[in-house]
């Protein structure tokens, strides 16, 4: 990249780059010294102390100073040789009175914008955007009990790089980072810093939720699980602006964790081809996840099929009744449910005993996939709220893969309105 600075002078006699700032000094034949910002292409200051051409200029390596030198043109040697008769005891001659020096005092270095972001915020996403990953992790640990940060590594890097832009004036000059602020406009108050721009937002998660629903409907459970887990991993690193949106974020966590748990059980069921009893149990538990109505109907249809084939007609009839209660628009589903009910009425028995009592309310352990019935002790994940048997306390949650089961946490903090 070529940057051109124009000035009124016959010749440029010297140049000096500042070691840290995007500054360049130019000493001119006209006797003027100019200080330029090569990043912005603007003249910062000029110095007119010299009477003749300024032959040299140089920044101090560590101090906010520069030195310049001038030699009067009238004193320049015009040629020939001269013998100088210098007395041995004569003192070393001092610099000519016509040689001048100029001192430039640099402005005080301000606070980096990233440091301002960190000082003004308690939101983990904004700390990650500032590049302070350590403080971001401490906030997430304190607020949500998160201990496994491996799934969040790429998100941290995306937030940091997305909130900065980088400029290079010359190939030999250092790269200059520029902070990108959220909601900046031309009428913003000068020297008042806005929060960092973030690459992740709530509307993106809503679109990903729709994609997860679509994959679930199509039976692409591996893809759907990947999408829902991605949402769970992104939620701790988004920022919303209102209390209403905070409630929507918390609701989204509950929705997504139900799908993650259900899909994990369904994928586990497909691995157990030689264990029909466990297959029926997992299919039954899937119907107790809080799913969208079309997905609940598919889960009930699946459970009916497994239990009916295993001659567990009483259990199959229960699923058939639940399916008919949803008023399925698909006539094939309704027909299947009615046929199973008719067969069960002739022989209301179960051949296999299942660890499943649909009459007793329960939640499902996210690690062992067994029911935790009402009145039994359990522990929960402080982030996604999944429930577990007490033996899982202290382990990483197998649903969100982030937080420690049973850990103390203050709660999700994703909006400035929660701090005011």
């Amino acid at each position: 990249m070529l940057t051109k600075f124009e000035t009124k002078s016959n010749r440029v006699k010297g140049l000096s780059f500042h070691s840290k700032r995007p500054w360049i000094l130019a000493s001119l034949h006209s006797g003027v010294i100019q200080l330029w910002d090569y990043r912005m292409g603007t003249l910062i200051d000029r110095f007119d102390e010299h009477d003749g051409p300024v032959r040299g200029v140089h920044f101090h390596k560590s101090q906010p100073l520069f030195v310049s030198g001038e030699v009067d043109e009238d004193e320049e040697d015009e040629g020939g040789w001269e013998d100088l008769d210098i007395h041995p005891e004569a003192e070393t001659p001092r610099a000519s009175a016509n040689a001048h020096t100029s001192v430039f005092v640099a402005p005080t270095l301000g606070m980096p914008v990233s440091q301002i972001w960190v000082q003004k915020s308690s939101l983990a996403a904004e700390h990650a955007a500032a590049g302070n990953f350590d403080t971001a992790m401490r906030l997430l640990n304190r607020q949500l009990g998160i201990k496994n940060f491996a799934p969040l590594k790429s998100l941290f890097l995306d937030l940091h790089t997305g909130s900065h832009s980088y400029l290079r004036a010359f190939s030999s000059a250092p790269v200059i980072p520029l902070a990108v602020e959220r909601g900046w406009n031309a009428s913003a108050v000068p020297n008042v810093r806005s929060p960092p721009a973030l690459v992740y937002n709530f509307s993106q998660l809503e679109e990903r939720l729709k994609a997860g629903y679509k994959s679930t409907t199509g039976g692409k459970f591996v893809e759907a699980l990947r999408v829902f887990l991605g949402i769970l991993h992104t939620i701790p690193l988004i920022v919303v602006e209102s209390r209403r949106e905070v409630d929507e974020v918390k609701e989204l966590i509950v929705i997504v964790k139900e799908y993650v748990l259900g899909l994990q059980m369904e994928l586990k069921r497909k691995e157990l081809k030689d264990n029909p009893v466990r297959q029926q149990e997992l299919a039954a538990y899937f119907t107790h996840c809080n799913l969208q109505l079309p997905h609940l109907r598919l889960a009930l249809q699946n459970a009916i099929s497994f239990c009916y084939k295993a001659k567990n007609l009483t259990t199959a009839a229960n699923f058939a009744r639940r399916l008919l209660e949803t008023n399925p628009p698909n006539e094939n589903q309704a027909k299947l449910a009615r046929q199973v009910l008719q067969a069960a009425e002739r022989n209301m028995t179960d051949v296999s005993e299942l660890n499943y009592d649909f009459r007793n309310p329960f939640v499902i352990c996210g690690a062992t996939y067994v029911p935790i019935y009402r009145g039994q002790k359990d522990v929960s994940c402080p982030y996604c709220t999944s429930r577990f048997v007490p033996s899982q306390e202290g382990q990483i949650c197998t649903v969100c893969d982030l937080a420690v089961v049973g850990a103390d946490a203050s709660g999700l903090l994703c909006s400035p309105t929660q701090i005011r």
Side-chain angles (χ1 to χ4, degrees):
M1 181 173 67
L2 178 64
T3 303
K4 184 178 181 181
F5 306 107
E6 295 186 358
T7 185
K8 295 181 180 179
S9 179
N10 291 335
R11 293 188 298 275
V12 177
K13 310 294 285 186
L15 293 171
S16 179
F17 280 93
H18 195 277
S19 60
K20 296 181 180 178
R21 300 290 187 91
W23 294 340
I24 183 172
L25 278 171
S27 58
L28 308 180
H29 188 270
S30 61
V32 176
I33 299 174
Q34 294 178 335
L35 177 64
W36 293 85
D37 185 322
Y38 58 75
R39 177 185 61 184
M40 306 300 295
T42 56
L43 180 65
I44 299 175
D45 206 345
R46 56 179 287 149
F47 307 91
D48 301 314
E49 283 80 1
H50 289 283
D51 297 326
V54 185
R55 299 304 180 98
V57 65
H58 190 70
F59 273 114
H60 194 284
K61 289 184 178 180
S62 59
Q63 300 297 323
L65 308 170
F66 75 80
V67 62
S68 63
E70 165 216 332
V71 177
D72 195 321
E73 286 185 322
D74 295 337
E75 296 181 1
E76 289 188 7
D77 202 350
E78 295 184 0
W81 298 95
E82 287 188 15
D83 291 331
L84 299 179
D85 186 12
I86 301 178
H87 193 276
E89 297 180 359
E91 294 183 358
T92 302
R94 301 193 177 204
S96 168
N98 291 326
H100 302 284
T101 60
S102 297
V103 176
F104 167 72
V105 180
T108 304
L109 185 65
M111 183 182 296
V113 177
S114 58
Q115 188 174 342
I116 297 175
W117 288 343
V118 170
Q119 289 185 350
K120 294 174 61 177
S121 176
S122 297
L123 303 175
E126 295 181 351
H127 282 246
N132 280 41
F133 295 167
D134 287 344
T135 58
M137 289 189 289
R138 284 198 293 269
L139 286 171
L140 291 174
N141 179 261
R142 185 168 69 243
Q143 295 166 6
L144 299 174
I146 292 178
K147 188 176 181 181
N148 179 27
F149 291 96
L152 304 183
K153 180 179 178 179
S154 62
L155 303 179
F156 275 40
L157 294 173
D158 288 346
L159 285 168
H160 179 54
T161 55
S163 63
H164 290 78
S165 183
Y166 301 89
L167 300 177
R168 182 188 291 275
F170 301 106
S171 60
S172 59
V175 174
I176 303 166
L178 297 177
V180 181
E181 297 170 315
R182 186 165 72 248
W184 184 91
N185 56 65
S187 61
V189 180
N191 299 322
V192 176
R193 294 301 183 182
S194 300
L198 302 177
V199 296
Y200 300 113
N201 57 58
F202 186 63
S203 60
Q204 293 172 345
L205 299 186
E206 291 178 320
E207 292 301 316
R208 289 161 68 177
L209 180 65
K210 294 177 183 177
Y213 285 159
K214 184 177 180 180
S215 297
T216 303
T217 304
K220 300 176 182 178
F221 295 152
V222 174
E223 179 182 333
L225 180 59
R226 177 184 57 80
V227 173
F228 289 126
L229 272 175
I231 296 174
L232 272 184
H233 293 164
T234 307
I235 287 176
L237 296 173
I238 65 168
V239 174
V240 295
E241 300 300 330
S242 67
R243 287 279 186 173
R244 178 184 59 80
E245 289 177 312
V246 172
D247 294 337
E248 290 176 355
V249 172
K250 292 179 179 179
E251 182 181 357
L252 180 61
I253 294 174
V254 176
I255 292 172
V256 173
K257 69 97 173 176
E258 290 288 326
Y259 272 85
V260 171
L261 175 59
L263 292 172
Q264 286 177 337
M265 289 191 296
E266 182 63 13
L267 292 173
K268 182 67 175 178
R269 181 193 64 75
K270 291 185 176 183
E271 298 175 2
L272 303 174
K273 296 181 179 180
D274 298 330
N275 191 341
V277 172
R278 185 59 173 159
Q279 279 191 322
Q280 293 175 73
E281 291 174 347
L282 293 176
Y285 302 154
F286 193 12
T287 68
H288 289 267
C289 293
N290 190 7
L291 308 175
Q292 294 285 302
L293 201 53
H295 303 145
L296 175 60
R297 292 186 182 119
L298 292 173
L300 287 167
Q301 179 180 335
N302 198 43
I304 290 172
S305 177
F306 275 100
C307 292
Y308 185 80
K309 290 177 182 178
K311 301 185 187 308
N312 279 0
L313 300 183
T314 302
T315 305
N318 169 64
F319 295 134
R321 281 189 291 269
R322 288 176 58 192
L323 179 57
L324 290 173
E325 288 171 0
T326 67
N327 297 317
N330 188 330
E331 182 56 32
N332 291 331
Q333 289 181 334
K335 183 178 179 181
L336 171 67
R338 287 192 292 268
Q339 289 175 343
V340 169
L341 279 175
Q342 291 175 0
E345 287 174 357
R346 294 192 296 268
N347 185 19
M348 193 68 73
T349 59
D350 280 344
V351 173
S352 307
E353 182 179 354
L354 305 180
N355 183 14
Y356 173 66
D357 182 2
F358 59 85
R359 300 179 184 83
N360 190 359
F362 64 89
V363 294
I364 306 155
C365 174
T368 60
Y369 307 139
V370 297
I372 304 173
Y373 292 102
R374 181 181 294 173
Q376 293 180 335
K377 292 183 178 180
D378 65 75
V379 289
S380 61
C381 170
Y383 168 44
C384 71
T385 70
S386 296
R387 310 280 280 278
F388 296 85
V389 294
S391 61
Q392 293 296 314
E393 185 171 6
Q395 303 297 316
I396 297 295
C397 173
T398 52
V399 177
C400 67
D401 195 31
L402 295 175
V404 176
V405 176
D408 292 328
S410 58
L412 178 68
L413 194 62
C414 63
S415 174
T417 60
Q418 295 174 276
I419 306 171
R420 296 170 189 161

